[in-house]
Amino acid sequence: MGIILAEHQSCKIQYSEEEDSGSYNRACFTLSLKKADYETLEMVKPRTFKISRGKKQNCFDFNKEENNFIIRAGYYIGVDWLFPNGRYLQVEPKLNLFDATCFNTILELENPEDELVTDILDKKIKIDLEESVKEINNYREVNYLRMLLDAMTDESVSHETDGLVFIDWDSPELSIKQNSDQLTPFLVVHFLNLLKTIVRKGLKKSYYKVQEHLNNRVKGKVLVSQQIKQNILKNRVTKTYCEYQLFGVDHIENRFLKTVLSFTIKYVENHAGMFGSNISKIKSLLTYVHPAFEQVSLLESDEQLRHFKHNPFFKEYRNAIKTGKYILKRFAYNLSQTAAEFNTIPPFWIDTPRLFELYVYQKLLTHNPLDHQHIHYQFSTYGNSLDYLISKPGFEMVIDAKYKMKYSSSLVHEDIRQVAGYARLNKVLRKLNIVDQNNELIKDENAAIDCLIIYPDLKADIDFDLTFENIRTAKSRLKAYHNVFKIGLSLPMI
């Protein structure tokens, strides 16, 4: 039995001896458990997701408050066991529209950190949220597949998609309905986009071995045992069973990709509804990539699929083969599993903040086609990684993408301190030609780099372009800080 939540929703688990204990009330987000089940919650530990070098973040929060346990969904979507073979948690990609209007007055305050004002607002917000949470119409589903499709249209972004999803293949699988499966469509879209990058460049050619009967000639080496069994003992004196090498596209890596492609084609045919309004783009991807594999054979056996290894020197193939292995594991290497109505999936989590980060990156690249050399993604310095550093003269800026709805009408002071700290790093200042190699100022010492936070805004203009000029005119100043701004970006919704 599962607990189903939208992003940032909470569920209260309480102790009860009533007859209906064990049932999850989604309308009130409460779950009542009897003593034996309730005590097992002491063992629950939230799953952690590796977000950067040495840094991890919980996929959901689980805390004990007074006599209740509180589960709160975070920024990740997925399904996971609270405890093996017991209850599971499913977080859907839905956001509360009401959250965007709860904090409307806070930015107008002269002193937004005043304790009395904050207490009043917190009480009002709590009451408003308790009322709004009962209204299911407040929630709209984020089209995360469209975000992935859009993000990976740029080749630079497609190289940064490794680590977007975590799958625990060692844990027991969960049984869910096909229409609740968020993992498989995500893997299919990811794989097809990676395949598109490979096809655009052209399939890799390599030497591969061929074994066949040759008539009245010998090529390569004669396979003696096969020659005796299949030709000599059968009196085929003109036939020779040989093994030789060819150079072309029909090598084992391309065969693996074509085999996975056959699984994805079957899945899309059987479950087109899982992709919703994205199905036309999915079919266009299939139409684009499939002809490139006409000269490629399928792998011959499950054994080859299970123990396949690829050449790590070809980066374009690395992520595609890794994702392809996920898809084959997901279907247990059985093509008939692609048509199942009920299925089992391993616990998984999709890093939605990272997906939003890549979505913003693609928008910056697409809307500023002549300034790609000035857009530096994940600019690293002293263990820190900036989301985007803009080095265009006259538009120097540190930009951070935050997948937090709160920015629609409020702010997170910790995030502001983080992005402001990035703007003071000497390596950043050197990149922007503000200081020289000795960290001596070149430009005006009073000049401060602009800092910008881009956040999801469900009420933003869907046609807004992230051109540098548009950013300059549309950014909103955060009154409590100097040269720190924010701008909302619309998300594709279902």
Side-chain angles (χ1 to χ4, degrees):
M1 298 178 67
I3 298 174
I4 302 174
L5 298 175
E7 293 181 59
H8 310 300
Q9 275 184 348
S10 299
C11 172
K12 180 171 70 174
I13 305 178
Q14 57 195 12
Y15 168 73
S16 174
E17 289 291 351
E18 296 181 5
E19 290 292 328
D20 62 348
S21 294
S23 60
Y24 171 53
N25 186 336
R26 192 176 183 187
C28 299
F29 303 107
T30 58
L31 173 64
S32 300
L33 296 177
K34 292 188 177 181
K35 186 175 181 180
D37 293 332
Y38 185 81
E39 289 178 348
T40 60
L41 296 175
E42 296 284 356
M43 301 181 295
V44 174
K45 294 183 179 179
R47 177 82 67 177
T48 57
F49 199 114
K50 185 177 179 181
I51 55 176
S52 62
R53 184 170 47 189
K55 295 182 180 179
K56 295 183 178 181
Q57 185 168 323
N58 288 343
C59 296
F60 60 93
D61 292 327
F62 189 83
N63 301 299
K64 189 170 184 178
E65 298 180 2
E66 297 179 352
N67 297 322
N68 302 311
F69 286 95
I70 304 295
I71 299 176
R72 180 171 176 81
Y75 299 104
Y76 301 86
I77 60 176
V79 180
D80 205 347
W81 293 109
L82 291 178
F83 40 90
N85 297 314
R87 291 187 180 271
Y88 64 86
L89 171 67
Q90 179 176 354
V91 181
E92 300 175 323
K94 293 182 179 179
L95 292 174
N96 190 353
L97 295 174
F98 193 81
D99 288 344
T101 58
C102 280
F103 305 89
N104 279 341
T105 58
I106 196 167
L107 288 182
E108 304 303 323
L109 300 171
E110 291 296 328
N111 186 4
E113 295 183 347
D114 184 272
E115 291 184 4
L116 177 61
V117 173
T118 303
D119 288 342
I120 293 172
L121 283 174
D122 284 345
K123 289 176 182 178
K124 179 180 183 302
I125 290 163
K126 184 176 180 181
I127 295 171
D128 289 344
L129 286 177
E130 286 174 352
E131 292 299 320
S132 70
V133 84
K134 299 175 184 178
E135 297 294 334
I136 197 66
N137 291 332
N138 285 332
Y139 287 87
R140 287 192 61 193
E141 186 170 349
V142 176
N143 193 340
Y144 68 101
L145 293 180
R146 178 61 181 272
M147 288 176 66
L148 182 62
L149 281 165
D150 287 354
M152 295 190 69
T153 54
D154 193 286
E155 187 175 325
S156 299
V157 181
S158 66
H159 293 313
E160 304 289 344
T161 56
D162 192 28
L164 265 178
V165 61
F166 165 79
I167 306 175
D168 186 359
W169 297 107
D170 297 326
S171 293
E173 294 191 334
L174 306 102
S175 179
I176 63 172
K177 290 184 178 180
Q178 187 70 253
N179 58 10
S180 298
D181 181 6
Q182 289 147 0
L183 174 62
T184 312
F186 184 88
L187 291 177
V188 167
V189 170
H190 194 193
F191 176 75
L192 290 177
N193 276 284
L194 292 170
L195 216 56
K196 179 183 176 182
T197 301
I198 291 173
V199 170
R200 187 188 294 127
K201 288 187 174 182
L203 296 186
K204 182 184 74 174
K205 293 184 178 181
S206 180
Y207 285 101
Y208 58 96
K209 293 180 179 179
V210 176
Q211 296 179 359
E212 68 173 336
H213 294 282
L214 298 178
N215 194 29
N216 291 321
R217 65 192 181 102
V218 175
K219 187 176 183 180
K221 67 178 181 180
V222 178
L223 300 179
V224 178
S225 61
Q226 295 296 324
Q227 173 68 7
I228 293 172
K229 290 178 183 178
Q230 298 189 34
N231 293 325
I232 294 178
L233 294 179
K234 296 179 180 180
N235 201 28
R236 297 174 178 170
V237 295
T238 62
K239 298 283 187 180
T240 308
Y241 197 78
C242 299
E243 180 182 88
Y244 56 93
Q245 287 190 329
L246 287 178
F247 184 78
V249 297
D250 194 22
H251 54 84
I252 190 167
E253 288 174 298
N254 286 338
R255 290 181 184 181
F256 178 86
L257 293 179
K258 183 171 182 177
T259 303
V260 179
L261 180 59
S262 68
F263 276 74
T264 61
I265 290 172
K266 272 293 183 184
Y267 180 80
V268 172
E269 288 176 352
N270 292 322
H271 303 289
M274 292 294 296
F275 300 94
S277 59
N278 306 301
I279 189 61
S280 59
K281 284 199 169 188
I282 303 299
K283 290 182 176 179
S284 295
L285 279 173
L286 289 172
T287 302
Y288 181 82
V289 302
H290 190 258
F293 288 87
E294 285 186 354
Q295 305 300 319
V296 180
S297 308
L298 296 172
L299 286 183
E300 296 174 355
S301 66
D302 289 351
E303 194 67 21
Q304 286 182 300
L305 290 173
R306 293 175 189 271
H307 301 287
F308 169 78
K309 294 182 180 180
H310 72 283
N311 188 333
F313 290 103
F314 294 90
K315 295 181 179 180
E316 293 84 4
Y317 277 72
R318 182 180 58 197
N319 287 344
I321 289 172
K322 181 180 178 181
T323 306
K325 286 183 175 180
Y326 287 165
I327 292 173
L328 294 180
K329 276 188 177 181
R330 164 67 191 82
F331 293 121
Y333 304 92
N334 188 345
L335 199 60
S336 64
Q337 291 290 324
T338 59
E341 287 301 321
F342 284 83
N343 56 0
T344 57
I345 61 171
F348 76 93
W349 291 98
I350 297 173
D351 190 345
T352 319
R354 175 96 187 285
L355 179 59
F356 177 68
E357 184 182 294
L358 294 174
Y359 181 72
V360 172
Y361 183 35
Q362 183 268 336
K363 297 298 180 188
L364 285 170
L365 292 174
T366 301
H367 298 154
N368 301 281
L370 302 179
D371 293 308
H372 285 191
Q373 73 275 19
H374 298 304
I375 302 173
H376 310 281
Y377 177 67
Q378 290 294 305
F379 185 79
S380 298
T381 171
Y382 306 110
N384 299 301
S385 293
L386 290 67
D387 286 351
Y388 328 96
L389 176 64
I390 310 301
S391 61
K392 183 176 181 179
F395 194 84
E396 295 89 347
M397 182 177 286
V398 173
I399 302 178
D400 218 10
K402 295 296 183 184
Y403 188 71
K404 297 179 180 180
M405 294 294 295
K406 189 175 182 180
Y407 280 101
S408 294
S409 45
S410 184
L411 51 86
V412 180
H413 296 285
E414 183 180 348
D415 295 343
I416 308 301
R417 288 192 289 269
Q418 181 188 54
V419 72
Y422 290 155
R424 299 298 179 268
L425 291 169
N426 281 326
K427 187 175 180 180
V428 171
L429 298 177
R430 285 196 297 270
K431 186 69 176 179
L432 301 180
N433 293 319
I434 293 176
V435 299
D436 58 21
Q437 293 302 314
N438 296 319
N439 299 328
E440 298 293 332
L441 284 168
I442 298 173
K443 297 185 178 181
D444 181 5
E445 60 179 348
N446 295 317
I449 305 171
D450 286 350
C451 300
L452 176 69
I453 289 181
I454 299 179
Y455 65 94
D457 186 354
L458 303 186
K459 296 186 177 181
D461 182 2
I462 59 175
D463 296 322
F464 179 78
D465 290 343
L466 283 180
T467 59
F468 292 158
E469 288 304 318
N470 278 356
I471 291 175
R472 190 196 304 274
T473 56
K475 63 186 180 183
S476 301
R477 183 181 297 274
L478 299 181
K479 293 183 179 180
Y481 294 91
H482 178 63
N483 278 26
V484 180
F485 306 87
K486 68 173 184 175
I487 198 166
L489 184 64
S490 177
L491 295 181
M493 307 297 289
I494 296 177

